[in-house]
Amino acid sequence: MLKGSGVVWSGLLFLLLGTAARAEVSASVGGSVRNRLYVFSPLDKDNYSYELNIRPEFTVNVSEDMAAVVTLNAQRLLGAAGRAGNAEVLLVDRAYIDYHFEKWDLRIGRQAINMGSAMIWNPIDLVDLNTPLNFAVQKRGVDTARASISLSPTARVIGAVAFPQNKALSLLRAEWLLGGTGMAVVAVDDRRRDEQVLGVDIKGDLEVGYWLEGAVHLPQEGKVSYRVVVGADYSFPVLQSLTFSAQYYRDSSGGAGLSDYDYEALAAGRRSFLGRQYVSLTGNLSTDEVTYVSLAFIGNLEDRTGLVSLGVGRYFFDNLEVSLRGLLMGGLQGPGEFKPGEGHPLGSALSTRTVELYVDWRF
């Protein structure tokens, strides 16, 4: 089943390209095949989720200043993931035209909206939400008109109007480079939630890499809330490289415990973390150019529960990545967000042990 207004966008793209038949046109095809398998405890033939995404990408360069990109995504879901939604979907995930000029760029069509420097939590990314199982989701395409204007070699302004869930999200972002620090301020009008958002994004490197990302939500009705992440990372010359990072995240709209968590918002996809305060610690050891070991911890400081993830991965043939990861959830006392127990609303649906197999072939 072909989903979304990407059909309209792709039709417009090829109609426009047809008018450029006399131009010197070049084309290329790439993409990826991604498989993700989660096996949950207790072991059962139905207690798993499998996701297959085949994503061919077609790029046409009409001239040095104009290009068109179309990315399809054929998705197949099995197990718990298939029972929760459409088991088979074919959609146009990207379909846009790029115009490049001396001082400004224009991109029109279905595209990803990339904002924010932090990991796991991105307060100024209002479209995509990471989850405890998947720390970095694949950004989905959104129908958008986006313009970027360079004010100087170190400063630019970005304006965009997007339509996630068919309602307008307008944003204005100003970026500049001050020494070795990248800084940005963002103003957003989100008609989906009838609110305005003001955000800041700072990232730099002073021997230790650091970042700060935060946003204030100003709804037309209800309480004002804020979300902020501060983090740092550092690399050591161990084997190929050893990198550690740490973050602290605070969300004033989150709950202080099981009885205060907004499970309705979780079920509706409006949030993927329920608490107010979290810490994360991650480590990545590259033993050589193609093999790595990863360790991650996410802790809820309110209910003292968390998850630990340990994985190993390897690249084959420069374009094939295979990784195996185990996740363990638990807590120091009583039930909580990441620890089921008596009185936990998700107790029967929350697995404390998960194994993930991920295969990504890029072509």
Side-chain angles (χ1 to χ4, degrees), residues 69-341:
V69 175
V70 175
T71 303
L72 304 178
N73 186 30
Q75 183 179 81
R76 171 67 169 165
L77 302 176
L78 298 175
R83 294 190 296 271
N86 294 325
E88 297 181 356
V89 176
L90 175 62
L91 56 84
V92 179
D93 199 43
R94 306 281 192 274
Y96 59 82
I97 300 173
D98 263 335
Y99 299 89
H100 300 286
F101 300 93
E102 183 178 356
K103 293 289 186 180
W104 61 282
D105 298 323
L106 179 64
R107 176 175 290 184
I108 301 176
R110 176 158 292 187
Q111 56 193 276
I113 299 177
N114 295 294
M115 295 194 298
S117 302
M119 301 179 293
I120 304 176
W121 303 282
N122 291 112
I124 63 174
D125 189 342
L126 305 178
V127 176
D128 301 293
L129 294 175
N130 293 326
T131 69
L133 281 181
N134 190 357
F135 304 158
V137 301
Q138 172 67 42
K139 291 188 176 295
R140 58 192 175 96
V142 178
D143 295 337
T144 306
R146 173 186 179 275
S148 172
I149 303 175
S150 296
L151 303 179
S152 73
T154 59
R156 68 172 180 170
V157 174
I158 299 172
V161 179
F163 296 90
Q165 301 171 11
N166 296 320
K167 292 188 177 181
L169 185 153
S170 307
L171 69 89
L172 188 65
R173 177 183 173 103
E175 302 177 343
W176 64 95
L177 187 65
L178 185 62
T181 302
M183 309 180 72
V185 292
V186 182
V188 179
D189 178 35
D190 190 347
R191 297 298 176 89
R192 297 169 302 167
R193 303 184 177 98
D194 292 325
E195 67 177 7
Q196 284 73 47
V197 182
L198 301 176
V200 61
D201 184 18
I202 301 172
K203 186 173 184 179
D205 191 347
L206 296 173
E207 297 297 331
V208 175
Y210 62 90
W211 56 88
L212 183 152
E213 182 181 336
V216 177
H217 293 251
L218 306 167
Q220 293 185 10
E221 298 181 0
K223 295 182 179 180
V224 174
S225 63
Y226 67 87
R227 300 166 189 171
V228 62
V229 182
V230 292
D233 62 16
Y234 190 76
S235 295
F236 301 86
V238 177
L239 296 179
Q240 186 74 17
S241 69
L242 174 62
T243 302
F244 281 107
S245 66
Q247 290 189 132
Y248 169 76
Y249 174 61
R250 183 172 180 86
D251 180 355
S252 70
S253 69
L258 280 182
S259 61
D260 194 29
Y261 290 153
D262 190 347
Y263 294 99
E264 182 180 345
L266 178 69
R270 296 194 302 271
R271 64 185 312 129
S272 53
F273 289 86
L274 298 171
R276 292 180 181 175
Q277 297 186 84
Y278 295 86
V279 293
S280 72
L281 302 171
T282 61
N284 191 287
L285 173 64
S286 297
T287 59
D288 53 41
E289 293 183 352
V290 296
T291 307
Y292 63 88
V293 178
S294 63
L295 175 67
F297 167 75
I298 297 176
N300 182 328
L301 297 179
E302 301 289 343
D303 60 28
R304 297 187 179 183
T305 65
L307 65 85
V308 177
S309 166
L310 178 62
V312 60
R314 182 178 176 85
Y315 292 91
F316 299 89
F317 316 113
D318 297 329
N319 62 349
L320 174 63
E321 179 186 2
V322 179
S323 67
L324 183 66
R325 184 173 64 142
L327 296 97
L328 177 65
M329 295 186 181
L332 298 179
Q333 58 183 30
E337 181 177 9
F338 301 124
K339 182 182 179 182

